[in-house]
Amino acid sequence: MAHVSAAERRPQLIKAAIDLMTREGVAAGSTRAIAAELGVAQATVHYTFGTKEDLYRAVMDHLTEELIAQVEQAAPTDAGFEETIAALAGALWRTVREEASSYHLLTELTMLALRTPRLSETRQAHLRGVIEVTARLMDEAAARAGYRLAQPAETIARFFLAGFDGLTLQRLSAPDVDSERAGLQALVAATTALAGGQLHLVDVPTS
C-alpha cells in the first residue's frame, strides 16, 4: 500500500470524523471508530493529530471555516442596509434547513468544548471569527448605503448572532416553520432598529 503523508491524511480524517459524528453523535467519535470509518489503523489518527482533542479541534476549525464562508457569500454587495441584513438572515437560514446535521454537530462540539479546557481556545476562536465577519459585513453594508450605525458594528453583530443561534437551537430541538419565520422576521426588524437607533437599550439589573 502506498504511503500517505500526514498532510494528505489530515483532511481525510477530518471528513471521516465529521461523517461519523454527524451520523452517530459526538460521543461515538473515538479515535478507534474514526480510524475504522476511514479504514486505517488507530495509530494513524494519533500520528496525524496527536490526541482526540486535537482532532476535534480540527473538526471545529473546519466547520467554523465553512460557516464563515457561508456568512461571507450570503451578504449581497449591492443592497441597502436592511436588505443586506434580510438577505444575510435568509441565506443563513436556508443553510440551517438544508444542512441541519452540520449545525447539530457544531452545537454538540461547542457544548463539549465548554467542559474541555483543551478545546476552550478553539471555541472562543470560533465565536470571534463569526462575530468579526458579521460585524465587517454590517460595516460594509452601512458604508455602502450611507447608513450611520447607532451602535458599534460588533454590538449589532453579537445581537444578530445571539438571536440567530437561538432560532437555530429551536429549529434543531422542535421545528415549527411558522414560528421560525416569524422569529426570523422579528430578528431582522430588531437588528435593523438597533442599528438605526430606533431600538433603545435599557438598564437591566444583573446583580
Side-chain angles (χ1 to χ4, degrees):
M1 182 179 294
H3 171 72
V4 178
S5 69
E8 293 176 279
R9 194 63 87 186
R10 184 180 177 87
Q12 296 173 353
L13 284 168
I14 290 173
K15 183 180 185 304
I18 290 173
D19 290 345
L20 173 67
M21 292 190 290
T22 295
R23 192 173 65 245
E24 301 183 23
V26 171
S30 66
T31 55
R32 182 184 300 277
I34 292 168
E37 180 80 9
L38 186 59
V40 298
Q42 185 179 8
T44 300
V45 180
H46 293 288
Y47 173 75
T48 305
F49 288 99
T51 67
K52 181 174 72 175
E53 287 78 13
D54 292 329
L55 173 56
Y56 281 12
R57 184 181 297 113
V59 169
M60 289 183 72
D61 286 342
H62 178 82
L63 292 173
T64 299
E65 289 168 5
E66 286 192 335
L67 178 58
I68 288 175
Q70 289 170 353
V71 172
E72 290 181 316
Q73 292 168 9
T77 58
D78 57 352
F81 186 80
E82 183 174 1
E83 291 79 11
T84 296
I85 301 303
L88 181 62
L92 286 176
W93 194 249
R94 284 192 293 276
T95 69
V96 172
R97 293 202 319 264
E98 296 167 4
E99 302 173 29
S101 58
S102 294
Y103 280 88
H104 199 154
L105 176 56
L106 187 54
T107 299
E108 279 193 73
L109 287 169
T110 300
M111 293 301 102
L112 174 66
L114 288 172
R115 293 183 175 273
T116 308
R118 292 189 63 184
L119 294 176
S120 176
E121 183 180 340
T122 300
R123 173 177 54 81
Q124 294 173 21
H126 158 74
L127 181 60
R128 283 197 307 269
V130 175
I131 289 172
E132 287 172 2
V133 169
T134 306
R136 174 173 58 78
L137 292 174
M138 290 184 174
D139 255 335
E140 291 174 353
R144 185 172 60 244
Y147 192 92
R148 182 180 179 278
L149 297 178
Q151 297 290 337
E154 182 176 329
T155 299
I156 302 166
R158 284 178 176 271
F159 177 80
F160 173 80
L161 291 169
F164 193 86
D165 286 346
L167 290 171
T168 299
L169 188 57
Q170 289 180 27
R171 169 78 183 184
L172 295 176
S173 303
D176 183 326
V177 174
D178 291 338
S179 295
E180 291 160 8
R181 183 184 300 110
L184 200 62
Q185 291 171 334
L187 176 60
V188 172
T191 301
T192 303
L194 178 63
Q198 290 82 42
L199 184 64
H200 300 290
L201 303 183
V202 299
D203 290 330
V204 178
T206 57
S207 61

